[in-house]
Amino acid sequence: MVSPGRAQLLPPPRDNLLLATVPSDKIDTAIKQGGILSAAASRPLSASLDVARTFGAIDAIHAGTGATASYNGSGVIAGMTDTGFDPSHPAFRGRVAQIHHYDLQQGIYLSALSQPEIEDWTTDDTENFHASHVAGILAGADCGNGYGGIAPGAEIVATTSRLTEAGILAGVEDIIDYAQSQGKPAVVNISIGSEIGPHDGTDLFCQYLSMCAEDAVICISAGNAGENNVCATAAFDDLTPRSFTVNRTPTGAVDGLVDIWSDDDTPFDIRLELYDFDTRGIIAASEWMRADATGANLLDSRIPGTESIVWGSVTYAGGVDTNNGRFNTALSFDVNRSETLAQAGPWSRYGITVGVRPSRSGQKVTAWCESSKLTLGHVPSNSFRETTDGSISNLATAHGVISVGALCSRNITPGIDGTDLEWSYFTPGQIGRFSSYGTTADGRSLPMIFAPGAMVVAPYNSHCTLSPIPDAVASASAGGREYHWVACGGTSMSSPFVAGVAALWLEADPTLTPAEIAEIAVNTADNDLVDTADPRRRAGTIDATAGLAEIARRSSLPSVDAPGSSHPQYFNLQGIPVANPTAPGIYIVKRGRSTKKIRIDG
């Protein structure tokens, strides 16, 4: 087991992007050394089968029913980066090739690279079971109870962290490194999300992840904020200021981040306001601030006479983002309310609003907030409007990844005591209302595909100290320990389903590129639930069998061999010659007896 003394805590650079650990009091000094075009602090993120497996015809694929061969992910590396993994669970025992753990706040790296080390590993997090559940859907073995995963023949590489961006990306690199060392294709699941960011795939995390997606199939959950107003947007037809509300948590505190973006480099001004919903007027406000630098506390002597209503801090930092050229500011709220503010119970007469003043007519401004802490709302007779069409996780906007939404495959599971567990919130066969979606700032409709995500039964971390065990469905004893399977719902469950299907497809054809896997997934999806008028339902549902049929069809294409020819010849995937292809797509290029696939991007 390797600990903090390892020379290379984080992977080497990808292109011009580098993951690094820097003490917080040294960050400014490091940036001022020069040569750094853009820097972003690593933020904490959120840890966004029996029926599900039948729903996707996975059992038939495992058995080879109606197919030329059976597939279970053999020869493929199945990795995930998460928190709360238990390698001793019978669903994983003997099939975990490596474990890597990062606690970058403490500068700690731990790994288990041999079977004795893996057998000695307990868990990375005794307060979480998310990683065990996700890994079980992706590649857990069937222990005789019907709750096996999608690719039970795959090798597992588990990477865990405190869910910081740098720790997650370092884990992705570990999975890719191991797969490449074994000469095998890899799939990576990331069931983690964040609503904070530009939602156009240009932030540093998304850029880095897109590079990784050239080396492995990366599936990422769309998020579970599909019913939460985490997005508010306004198109200013004049220079009149507009406002949106920042709604507090159930405790009454306004605590969290609000991220505001212009559609281009045009700046905007901001101010903090106290709004009276009875009189529909602003009763107090800070001065207008140009949100292009680090600002002082907007509550600090800027709203006189309101100390009896709210207190705390609201700070901001902003400017033109060097990655996409858009003006941005982030507000950090740590605000408490008085009994006056809470006088009407859950929804008081007074609320905190953020005023935005544009710099030009036609400017569009969009704000996002952390769904676990805040929601955004509208002020009466105001052009800012909250929306769930924008709830898609910022992480899922990375180019080259497969973003996955959740379909409800069941709402009843058998309890461990023989009593059925029922969740009326879920409607089998329908898209989950919680499943995040949206159109990105660069015009893409996400998620790309849906898969079963509620309620999915998978392994539980036996070292987790949560009590009682939530929604336990089955149990088994092994080595003197009691192990459980539990039911959970969310896009965290649907994403590893798609990653497992990708592993089956890569077993059928290990030469498929990540881009081809994504293309096959979208083009062979079941479109029964698609409704182009409904932004929540613009993508199809993964169809593992149809994807295998497409892979088989591609492998039986007419020969394009041209012996002796030294000039390249191009063919589309139907084997039809194409002269100097320029249209976006996948092509076969033949030079003599050498054949390879190429991709032309639009």
Side-chain angles (χ1 to χ4, degrees):
M1 184 174 291
V2 182
S3 62
R6 179 180 150 180
Q8 184 66 51
L9 179 63
L10 291 171
R14 271 191 178 263
D15 194 9
N16 63 342
L17 295 180
L18 172 68
L19 302 177
T21 54
V22 181
S24 58
D25 61 345
K26 304 294 184 183
I27 293 176
D28 287 342
T29 302
I31 293 176
K32 291 176 182 177
Q33 294 300 311
I36 299 177
L37 299 178
S38 179
S42 183
R43 299 175 293 122
L45 305 174
S46 302
S48 39
L49 264 147
D50 57 333
V51 171
R53 206 172 59 203
T54 303
F55 186 94
I58 303 301
D59 286 334
I61 294 172
H62 288 174
T65 305
T68 57
S70 63
Y71 299 102
N72 65 4
S74 295
V76 179
I77 306 303
M80 55 82 191
T81 178
D82 214 298
T83 184
F85 183 63
D86 176 6
S88 69
H89 197 286
F92 312 125
R93 190 171 296 160
R95 296 178 43 245
V96 179
Q98 290 187 347
I99 303 174
H100 301 267
H101 176 67
Y102 294 88
D103 185 346
L104 298 180
Q105 292 94 326
Q106 303 298 322
I108 293 173
Y109 166 80
L110 300 171
S111 67
L113 308 179
S114 67
Q115 285 306 306
E117 290 175 338
I118 292 169
E119 290 171 5
D120 287 341
W121 193 281
T122 54
T123 187
D124 59 286
D125 188 348
T126 59
E127 298 181 354
N128 212 306
F129 65 91
H130 197 264
S132 299
H133 201 271
V134 163
I137 298 170
L138 170 60
D142 189 332
C143 298
N145 53 21
Y147 299 123
I150 307 303
E155 263 187 289
I156 298 171
V157 175
T159 72
T160 58
S161 67
R162 298 306 176 199
L163 300 189
T164 58
E165 292 173 322
I168 291 166
L169 293 174
V172 173
E173 292 281 24
D174 288 324
I175 298 164
I176 292 172
D177 285 348
Y178 179 75
Q180 291 180 343
S181 73
Q182 302 299 303
K184 297 178 179 179
V187 298
V188 180
N189 182 75
I190 304 177
S191 288
I192 299 161
S194 172
E195 287 78 33
I196 300 299
H199 289 73
D200 60 8
T202 62
D203 61 280
L204 294 181
F205 180 93
C206 287
Q207 286 189 51
Y208 196 106
L209 195 62
S210 293
M211 293 183 188
C212 294
E214 297 176 1
D215 295 327
V217 177
I218 297 178
C219 296
I220 189 163
S221 56
N224 301 324
E227 290 187 294
N228 299 342
N229 293 323
V230 297
C231 180
T233 184
F236 292 86
D237 52 8
D238 56 33
L239 300 183
T240 303
R242 306 294 181 186
S243 304
F244 60 86
T245 66
V246 181
N247 298 321
R248 58 186 172 272
T249 61
T251 63
V254 179
D255 177 19
L257 294 177
V258 175
D259 203 17
I260 313 174
W261 291 82
S262 178
D263 56 345
D264 57 18
D265 61 357
T266 306
F268 50 79
D269 299 329
I270 60 170
R271 71 178 182 182
L272 193 66
E273 306 162 343
L274 282 182
Y275 189 85
D276 186 328
F277 283 93
D278 282 359
T279 64
R280 297 193 174 189
I282 297 171
I283 61 172
S286 69
E287 62 187 79
W288 286 105
M289 306 292 293
R290 176 55 53 89
D292 57 359
T294 300
N297 179 10
L298 294 178
L299 277 178
D300 185 13
S301 302
R302 296 180 186 276
I303 311 184
T306 61
E307 295 84 355
S308 62
I309 299 178
V310 293
W311 64 92
S313 67
V314 180
T315 56
Y316 67 92
V320 175
D321 188 279
T322 58
N323 297 301
N324 57 21
R326 296 166 59 194
F327 188 83
N328 161 247
T329 193
L331 295 167
S332 178
F333 285 81
D334 184 9
V335 177
N336 292 300
R337 62 175 182 168
S338 68
E339 288 304 314
T340 302
L341 190 64
Q343 62 180 332
W347 303 105
S348 68
R349 171 178 176 176
Y350 303 108
I352 294 176
T353 61
V354 174
V356 176
R357 185 170 65 183
S359 295
R360 63 170 174 82
S361 177
Q363 185 175 5
K364 183 178 180 181
V365 176
T366 304
W368 284 275
C369 69
E370 296 176 283
S371 65
S372 62
K373 297 183 176 181
L374 300 172
T375 60
L376 305 181
H378 72 277
V379 175
S381 303
N382 197 314
S383 65
F384 257 107
R385 286 292 180 266
E386 75 273 21
T387 177
T388 55
D389 185 359
S391 56
I392 188 75
S393 168
N394 180 69
L395 278 59
T397 68
H399 293 270
V401 306
I402 301 176
S403 54
V404 186
L407 175 80
C408 297
S409 54
R410 74 189 309 167
N411 62 3
I412 296 177
T413 59
I416 198 168
D417 61 357
T419 304
D420 284 346
L421 304 171
E422 183 173 359
W423 293 267
S424 57
Y425 172 76
F426 301 108
T427 303
Q430 296 297 314
I431 302 301
R433 291 173 289 171
F434 60 85
S435 188
S436 295
Y437 65 101
T439 302
T440 66
D442 58 334
R444 291 170 290 146
S445 181
L446 299 177
M448 295 169 59
I449 202 157
F450 288 91
M455 296 291 294
V456 182
V457 179
Y460 182 80
N461 179 3
S462 70
H463 300 280
C464 186
T465 55
L466 293 180
S467 181
I469 297 172
D471 301 332
V473 172
S475 65
S477 298
R481 291 188 68 82
E482 189 79 6
Y483 297 91
H484 293 85
W485 286 255
V486 300
C488 288
T491 58
S492 285
M493 286 68 247
S494 55
S495 182
F497 189 104
V498 173
V501 169
L504 303 181
W505 292 352
L506 285 170
E507 181 188 2
D509 184 355
T511 68
L512 290 169
T513 66
E516 288 173 310
I517 291 288
E519 176 200 6
I520 290 169
V522 172
N523 290 343
T524 64
D526 182 339
N527 293 319
D528 282 351
L529 295 178
V530 170
D531 181 354
T532 55
D534 183 350
R536 189 186 295 270
R537 296 168 55 188
R538 289 177 180 164
T541 305
I542 190 78
D543 189 328
T545 303
L548 282 174
E550 171 62 12
I551 293 168
R553 187 193 67 79
R554 293 186 181 199
S555 68
S556 62
L557 291 174
S559 172
V560 293
D561 192 19
S565 173
S566 60
H567 298 286
Q569 295 177 293
Y570 299 92
F571 303 82
N572 64 21
L573 292 179
Q574 285 72 45
I576 301 173
V578 179
N580 299 319
T582 57
I586 305 295
Y587 296 89
I588 300 170
V589 59
K590 185 76 174 177
R591 187 189 297 270
R593 294 187 179 275
S594 173
T595 303
K596 67 177 182 178
K597 293 177 182 177
I598 62 170
R599 179 181 67 187
I600 296 179
D601 296 320

